[in-house]
Amino acid sequence: MKIKYRKAEAGDVEVLSRLRVDMLSADNGLSEALQSALYQQTKEYLLSGLKGQTFSSYIAEADGVVVAMGGICYFDLPPTEFCLTGKTAYVSNMYTLPAYRKNGIAGKIVKLLMEEAEGSGVERVLLKPTAQGKPLYQEYGFQQWKDAMVYFF
């Protein structure tokens, strides 16, 4: 299986939005009305974030079909003793289609997201893992921090 990785562009927003809604629906059994509303709101968020460079995403493709995604949001929080500049990123929207799991795809996407985050000047990266994803993030160096996980550069 040949997987191609690339940074998402505005033209990918519809498929990213659909995958995100599928991910949320699988975990929460959402109604069709809520799925539709989430799809529209997610499209708007992703377009705005990509345009304003407050959101970035990487995707994995197999035979031209998006089979996995991961995103990262950039923002500032008030300075703390752990992060003097407040520059923070949050990993979200990590999702791999079930048939493609356990092939290292999510790990490669996390690596791409973290390389970008480090180059952006953020001091910390936060995420809230699923039970299934937690070992991947621990392997990368994330540490448990309250109900989330954190990585400090």
Side-chain angles (χ1 to χ4, degrees):
M1 164 177 48
K2 176 89 166 128
I3 302 294
K4 178 182 171 187
Y5 299 88
R6 66 177 176 83
K7 193 166 184 176
E9 302 170 345
D12 299 309
V13 165
E14 289 191 25
V15 70
L16 293 174
S17 298
R18 176 55 44 215
L19 282 174
R20 183 169 187 271
V21 170
D22 290 348
M23 172 186 72
L24 294 171
S25 295
D27 292 342
N28 302 307
L30 305 176
S31 71
E32 285 189 36
L34 185 51
Q35 288 181 42
S36 179
L38 278 170
Y39 175 77
Q40 290 303 322
Q41 292 297 318
T42 298
K43 276 180 39 177
E44 291 176 26
Y45 173 83
L46 296 178
L47 282 172
S48 174
L50 289 171
K51 182 179 178 184
Q53 298 181 331
T54 57
F55 178 82
S56 181
S57 182
Y58 285 85
I59 60 176
E61 294 177 312
D63 297 321
V65 175
V66 176
V67 298
M69 66 178 184
I72 193 162
C73 309
Y74 296 98
F75 55 94
D76 293 331
L77 290 172
T80 68
E81 67 272 23
F82 304 111
C83 183
L84 289 174
T85 66
K87 294 186 181 305
T88 304
Y90 186 84
V91 172
S92 65
N93 298 340
M94 289 294 300
Y95 183 67
T96 303
L97 293 175
Y100 292 87
R101 293 179 184 163
K102 304 291 185 199
N103 289 302
I105 296 170
K108 175 68 175 177
I109 290 175
V110 169
K111 183 177 186 298
L112 291 166
L113 292 170
M114 295 301 289
E115 287 172 353
E116 179 179 298
E118 184 173 23
S120 77
V122 299
E123 289 186 51
R124 66 180 161 200
V125 179
L126 304 172
L127 59 83
K128 189 162 184 176
T130 61
Q132 184 180 6
K134 191 171 184 176
L136 168 67
Y137 303 121
Q138 287 173 322
E139 186 177 306
Y140 197 88
F142 280 84
Q143 304 167 27
Q144 191 64 43
W145 185 60
K146 300 182 184 183
D147 66 341
M149 294 184 84
V150 64
Y151 182 97
F152 291 100
F153 287 107

